[in-house]
Coordinates of all heavy atoms in Angstrom, one line a residue:
T120 N -7.8 80.2 -15.4 CA -6.7 79.3 -15.8 C -5.6 79.3 -14.8 O -5.5 80.2 -14.0 CB -6.1 79.7 -17.2 OG1 -5.4 80.9 -17.0 CG2 -7.2 79.8 -18.3
Q123 N -3.6 82.5 -15.1 CA -4.2 83.6 -14.5 C -4.1 83.6 -13.0 O -3.8 84.6 -12.3 CB -5.7 83.6 -14.9 CG -5.9 84.0 -16.4 CD -7.3 83.7 -16.8 OE1 -8.0 82.8 -16.3 NE2 -7.8 84.4 -17.8
V163 N 1.1 54.1 -28.8 CA 2.4 54.3 -29.4 C 3.5 53.5 -28.6 O 3.2 53.0 -27.5 CB 2.8 55.8 -29.3 CG1 1.9 56.6 -30.2 CG2 2.8 56.3 -27.9
V169 N 12.1 50.0 -20.2 CA 13.3 50.4 -21.0 C 14.3 49.3 -21.0 O 15.1 49.1 -21.9 CB 13.9 51.7 -20.5 CG1 15.0 52.1 -21.3 CG2 12.8 52.8 -20.4
V174 N 18.0 54.3 -9.9 CA 18.8 54.3 -8.6 C 18.1 53.6 -7.5 O 18.7 53.1 -6.5 CB 19.1 55.8 -8.2 CG1 17.9 56.5 -7.9 CG2 20.1 55.8 -7.0
R195 N 14.4 73.7 -17.3 CA 15.6 74.4 -17.9 C 15.1 75.6 -18.7 O 15.6 76.7 -18.6 CB 16.4 73.4 -18.7 CG 17.7 73.9 -19.2 CD 18.4 72.9 -20.1 NE 19.0 71.7 -19.4 CZ 18.5 70.5 -19.5 NH1 17.4 70.2 -20.2 NH2 19.1 69.5 -18.8
G198 N 14.4 79.1 -17.2 CA 15.5 80.0 -16.8 C 15.5 80.4 -15.4 O 16.3 81.2 -14.9
S248 N 8.4 69.6 -5.9 CA 8.6 70.4 -4.7 C 9.7 71.5 -5.1 O 10.7 71.2 -5.7 CB 9.2 69.5 -3.6 OG 9.5 70.1 -2.4
S309 N -10.7 74.2 -10.7 CA -11.9 73.4 -10.5 C -12.1 73.0 -9.0 O -13.2 72.7 -8.6 CB -11.7 72.1 -11.3 OG -10.5 71.4 -10.9
P311 N -11.1 75.0 -5.8 CA -10.5 76.1 -5.1 C -10.5 75.8 -3.6 O -11.4 75.2 -3.0 CB -11.4 77.3 -5.3 CG -12.7 76.7 -5.7 CD -12.4 75.4 -6.4
I340 N -5.1 48.7 11.9 CA -5.9 48.0 10.9 C -7.0 47.2 11.4 O -8.2 47.3 11.0 CB -4.9 47.1 10.0 CG1 -3.9 48.0 9.2 CG2 -5.8 46.3 9.0 CD1 -2.9 47.2 8.5
Y366 N -3.6 59.3 -2.5 CA -3.7 60.5 -1.7 C -4.8 61.4 -2.1 O -5.6 62.0 -1.3 CB -2.3 61.2 -1.6 CG -2.5 62.5 -0.9 CD1 -2.6 62.5 0.5 CD2 -2.7 63.7 -1.5 CE1 -2.9 63.7 1.2 CE2 -3.0 64.9 -0.8 CZ -3.1 64.9 0.6 OH -3.4 66.0 1.3
R414 N 7.3 61.7 14.0 CA 7.6 63.1 13.9 C 6.8 63.7 12.7 O 6.5 62.9 11.7 CB 9.1 63.4 13.6 CG 10.0 63.0 14.9 CD 11.4 62.7 14.4 NE 11.4 61.5 13.6 CZ 12.6 61.1 13.0 NH1 13.7 61.7 13.3 NH2 12.6 60.0 12.2
E418 N 9.4 68.3 9.2 CA 10.5 68.8 10.1 C 11.7 67.8 10.1 O 12.7 68.1 10.7 CB 10.0 68.9 11.5 CG 9.0 70.1 11.7 CD 8.5 70.2 13.1 OE1 8.8 69.3 13.9 OE2 7.8 71.3 13.4

Side-chain angles (χ1 to χ4, degrees):
T120 67
Q123 287 166 334
V163 296
V169 179
V174 62
R195 190 184 284 113
S248 181
S309 54
I340 293 173
Y366 175 76
R414 295 156 296 178
E418 291 179 351

